[in-house]
Amino acid sequence: FVGMSSQRIDGDAAVTETTEGLSAVALEGGQAAVAGGDDSSGGGSASEEVLSDAEEELVREENYRQKMLKSRQTNGPNHEKTLLKTLRLVSCLIGQYKLNDTEELLDLIIPACKEKGGKLYLKAIQSRAFCLFKQYRFKEALVIFHEQASLVGPSAALYENMAHTYNSVGDYDNAAKYFSQAMALLGQGSYGKKGGILLGLGLVKERQGDPKAALPLLQQALQHYKDDCKTEDGSSLIAKAHMSVGQCHETLGSLPEAADHIRDAAAIFNKTVGRVSPLYANAIGVLGRIYIAQGKRDEAEPLIAESLELEAAKDAFHPDTIWKLLNTLKELWTENRQPLKLEELHANCKRYIDSINLVKRRIEELKLETDPKSEKGTIAVIFKTAGELVMLSGEYQQSKPFLQRALKLLEEIKDFDCTVLIQSCVSSLRFIQDASG
């Protein structure tokens, strides 16, 4: 059980901020080497390549899709040319966080790639690892990165990827080890991204409780990306570095500096990957959180609301993030503010109902209420907080099913004392019953 109403979720690893700089590894002659720029060159294609803008990437996706379909028709689904064209499309989809489509395509081609072996199989499993990472399935991604290492040997890029993944599961010793080895390999001429390694070392320091030591490393990473890309705002990698620097400033209590960096990140994500990207959704959610800490509630609210809408729709649905956003919205209207007229409160909270209903549909589609791998406690407090927000909108009967589902899940949890949460649900349901006469 990881969530409780009005409290932060324990064990939060800030996973949406750990996708910085996964590096594609081209596999020539059994050696790990640089991903050769545009994948049309035949080299490996980095899932974190620089995007000129979101519209151009959509055009590229459609172009790759048509080439793949044409090759399927001309050469057959398992022909090497078809598999290569499919992997190019997969890389494009991963860069846009279209992870459901990515997973479908990889499921189709990996058996054929494995049968053919060599570079095709290595490219396919690398793409699988990237996809798993962005789906928050870090332990599964680690297994594949280790398989890749056993096949191609050590490289700075691959060890950086492994280190970011260890960092995401909270294994900071292994994360530090692999980042250090990646930096050593980089110094020996192995291809890798110095910016990504610096960023990773800084994130490890921060998560080990030393943000003062982390900040200079994160700032070096940001400057390295700017120098490497020869631009201030033309790469999503620069935005990701801004996110890390900004959140480190937030941890240190330097809120103006934090807000500046996160605003820059949001603007760059909007330009490079578009407003529907999970990267943009995360950035505006963090910016909203910082604004709340600064007392800028009116500026924070639309950002949190938009972040919820985007997070509810993204392929890699993340319940912890959804609960935090719902709870933040509830607290914005119920805590530490001047009283509102009931009509005004209802009107403001009605704006969240579409997003709340989308959250419900996603939970149902993913079967998270019954999946033994899902955190029932988190799903329960999502339903509870959603029901409370719908109550604040004045739609009492519409809120009732949310609260009933929360109550059912909470009563099933035996390894955590949910008494207070259960009593709260019962009280809300009793209020609804009394209000309806």
Side-chain angles (χ1 to χ4, degrees):
F1 186 77
V2 297
M4 286 185 64
S5 182
S6 301
Q7 295 184 8
R8 76 180 293 278
I9 296 174
D10 294 331
D12 173 30
V15 291
T16 54
E17 288 91 67
T18 60
T19 54
E20 292 87 359
L22 286 185
S23 302
V25 181
L27 305 149
E28 304 291 348
Q31 298 298 317
V34 60
D38 181 0
D39 60 11
S40 61
S41 68
S45 172
S47 70
E48 297 290 349
E49 65 186 90
V50 176
L51 308 182
S52 56
D53 57 54
E55 291 78 16
E56 184 175 321
E57 194 65 6
L58 289 172
V59 171
R60 185 186 304 180
E61 176 193 337
E62 183 57 26
N63 179 39
Y64 288 164
R65 191 179 300 278
Q66 291 305 316
K67 288 181 177 179
M68 177 194 72
L69 293 172
K70 184 177 179 181
S71 184
R72 276 185 188 173
Q73 192 172 31
T74 304
N75 303 307
N78 294 334
H79 193 280
E80 183 172 351
K81 288 183 179 179
T82 305
L83 297 173
L84 283 169
K85 292 179 189 301
T86 304
L87 286 167
R88 288 176 183 172
L89 174 59
V90 160
S91 176
C92 185
L93 292 171
I94 291 174
Q96 298 177 81
Y97 283 72
K98 294 182 178 179
L99 306 179
N100 292 344
D101 287 350
T102 297
E103 191 168 26
E104 260 184 56
L105 287 170
L106 288 172
D107 286 345
L108 282 174
I109 67 169
I110 278 182
C113 290
K114 186 173 185 179
E115 185 177 333
K116 293 182 184 297
K119 187 163 60 175
L120 266 176
Y121 179 60
L122 291 166
K123 286 184 176 183
I125 63 170
Q126 176 174 268
S127 296
R128 174 73 87 189
F130 285 164
C131 183
L132 289 167
F133 186 100
K134 296 189 180 195
Q135 291 172 318
Y136 311 109
R137 295 159 64 181
F138 302 119
K139 291 181 180 179
E140 294 172 72
L142 268 175
V143 171
I144 296 178
F145 282 136
H146 277 286
E147 179 186 0
Q148 188 180 354
S150 72
L151 293 170
V152 302
S155 77
L158 179 54
Y159 276 16
E160 179 200 337
N161 292 342
M162 294 166 71
H164 279 300
T165 313
Y166 275 118
N167 203 16
S168 296
V169 297
D171 186 345
Y172 304 129
D173 289 342
N174 267 319
K177 181 181 86 171
Y178 278 100
F179 278 130
S180 297
Q181 289 182 7
M183 190 67 83
L185 287 164
L186 195 67
Q188 297 167 18
S190 174
Y191 173 74
K193 295 177 180 177
K194 186 176 181 180
I197 299 170
L198 287 169
L199 201 66
L201 288 168
L203 289 170
V204 170
K205 290 282 187 188
E206 185 178 7
R207 290 172 192 171
Q208 287 177 324
D210 194 356
K212 285 185 179 179
L215 185 59
L217 290 167
L218 299 173
Q219 290 169 327
Q220 287 178 53
L222 173 58
Q223 190 58 52
H224 182 87
Y225 279 134
K226 288 180 178 180
D227 294 343
D228 198 42
C229 297
K230 296 180 175 60
T231 176
E232 291 283 321
D233 64 356
S235 166
S236 61
L237 294 173
I238 294 172
K240 290 175 180 180
H242 272 299
M243 288 296 298
S244 294
V245 173
Q247 288 176 102
C248 191
H249 275 299
E250 181 189 13
T251 301
L252 290 166
S254 306
L255 297 181
E257 292 87 349
D260 287 344
H261 281 284
I262 305 302
R263 270 194 300 269
D264 286 345
I268 296 169
F269 285 140
N270 185 29
K271 174 182 177 181
T272 59
V273 295
R275 295 179 76 89
V276 298
S277 169
L279 298 172
Y280 178 77
N282 178 59
I284 60 173
V286 172
L287 185 57
R289 181 180 76 210
I290 292 168
Y291 281 163
I292 291 169
Q294 291 180 300
K296 300 177 179 179
R297 302 168 70 95
D298 291 342
E299 293 178 57
E301 188 274 339
L303 295 173
I304 300 295
E306 185 180 2
S307 183
L308 174 64
E309 179 183 356
L310 296 170
E311 289 284 350
K314 76 180 188 182
D315 285 356
F317 186 79
H318 196 237
D320 290 0
T321 301
I322 294 293
W323 177 78
K324 284 184 173 182
L325 293 167
L326 287 169
N327 200 56
T328 300
L329 288 171
K330 185 186 79 169
E331 290 179 346
L332 277 171
W333 295 110
T334 58
E335 296 185 5
N336 303 317
R337 68 173 302 130
Q338 294 296 320
L340 294 172
K341 291 182 179 179
L342 198 58
E343 298 80 12
E344 186 180 355
L345 177 64
H346 288 173
N348 279 300
C349 292
K350 273 188 172 74
R351 294 179 293 116
Y352 311 138
I353 288 180
D354 285 347
S355 294
I356 287 170
N357 285 329
L358 177 56
V359 168
K360 176 172 71 72
R361 288 198 300 274
R362 294 300 307 280
I363 289 172
E364 290 168 349
E365 290 166 0
L366 296 168
K367 298 181 172 58
L368 296 180
E369 287 172 276
T370 56
D371 184 352
K373 294 181 181 178
S374 72
E375 291 285 352
K376 274 191 180 179
T378 305
I379 305 305
V381 291
I382 285 175
F383 279 130
K384 178 180 181 293
T385 311
E388 290 163 348
L389 269 173
V390 177
M391 285 181 70
L392 292 174
S393 78
E395 300 292 341
Y396 297 137
Q397 291 305 313
Q398 195 172 338
S399 71
K400 192 173 177 180
F402 289 96
L403 295 164
Q404 288 171 330
R405 290 167 85 163
L407 181 59
K408 179 178 182 295
L409 288 168
L410 289 167
E411 288 175 339
E412 292 173 358
I413 295 169
K414 304 304 180 186
D415 57 351
F416 190 90
D417 184 1
C418 299
T419 303
V420 173
L421 297 172
I422 289 170
Q423 288 174 347
S424 177
C425 288
V426 170
S427 296
S428 295
L429 288 165
R430 188 176 298 125
F431 174 87
I432 293 167
Q433 184 176 355
D434 293 344
S436 62

